[in-house]
Amino acid sequence: MKPLKSFLLLIAILVLIACNSNTDTKEPVATEPLPLEEAKVQDGKDVATGLAAGEGLNIVKSHCLACHSGALILQNRFTREGWHKKIVWMQETQGLWDLGDSEPVILDYLAANYAPEEFRGRRKPLADIEWYELDQ
Ligand code: HEC
């Protein structure tokens, strides 16, 4: 074989190896939840992550921060159904485990705190106004 040919062959093989290792099924960053801890809350937020205080926060922190930061939650807004789809997607492609009894608690928390914002057009008309006379 000519040197150029074998050189090209070598390059082709190296490229194939490189591509192959990239498409290997990715190992999940974590395979189990973090230990359940009591979140430190200040001004309605978890001090460590900025996640909203509320029912389910500790469970969400334990399951949802094992692989990535809470920023992925903070920057997203979905309905309960939408959050459920994300969880299923992570389970099918990213190695997220079965959430068991925690799943409804997590979904309730996400839907309560990170739902799409309602359209806020004009404010509601004022009601029950107590008028008063201006003293000149
Ligand atoms: C086993 C690891 C793992 C766990 C545990 C995990 N995720 Fe993820 N999640 C991922 C990976 C990987 C991505 C993709 C990150 C990227 O795109 O950089 C992701 C992405 C996301 C995204 C962004 C999705 C998008 O469309 O951009 C959201 C939101 C999210 N995760 C929420 C959660 C919530 C809520 C939980 C807890 C129920 C959770 N994750 C637990 C692995 C995990």
Side-chain angles (χ1 to χ4, degrees):
M1 211 183 277
K2 284 188 180 156
L4 179 65
K5 251 190 178 172
S6 46
F7 177 70
L8 288 178
L9 192 65
L10 182 70
I11 297 286
I13 291 171
L14 287 178
V15 167
L16 270 178
I17 292 172
C19 291
N20 224 3
S21 63
N22 274 346
T23 52
D24 268 351
T25 40
K26 271 190 278 166
E27 285 291 314
V29 183
T31 52
E32 57 184 57
L34 302 169
L36 195 61
E37 283 175 17
E38 191 64 34
K40 236 196 185 171
V41 166
Q42 207 171 34
D43 300 329
K45 285 181 179 159
D46 173 42
V47 174
T49 62
L51 284 167
E55 178 98 33
L57 171 64
N58 297 332
I59 291 177
V60 166
K61 286 186 73 179
S62 145
H63 282 283
C64 303
L65 305 185
C67 297
H68 51 67
S69 84
L72 282 179
I73 296 177
L74 289 172
Q75 66 199 197
N76 278 291
R77 295 289 180 278
F78 302 114
T79 58
R80 198 174 197 280
E81 175 64 15
W83 279 111
H84 184 244
K85 279 191 187 146
K86 284 291 163 199
I87 286 175
V88 170
W89 171 77
M90 276 179 283
Q91 286 169 332
E92 286 173 350
T93 62
Q94 311 296 333
L96 174 60
W97 44 85
D98 181 2
L99 297 171
D101 291 346
S102 298
E103 185 170 299
V105 180
I106 291 172
L107 285 173
D108 285 348
Y109 171 89
L110 292 169
N113 295 289
Y114 300 102
E117 293 193 7
E118 275 175 47
F119 173 70
R120 292 208 196 99
R122 294 182 60 135
R123 64 165 170 74
K124 287 209 186 93
L126 297 174
D128 300 328
I129 308 163
E130 281 188 35
W131 298 105
Y132 58 92
E133 298 275 347
L134 270 181
D135 295 329
Q136 295 286 348

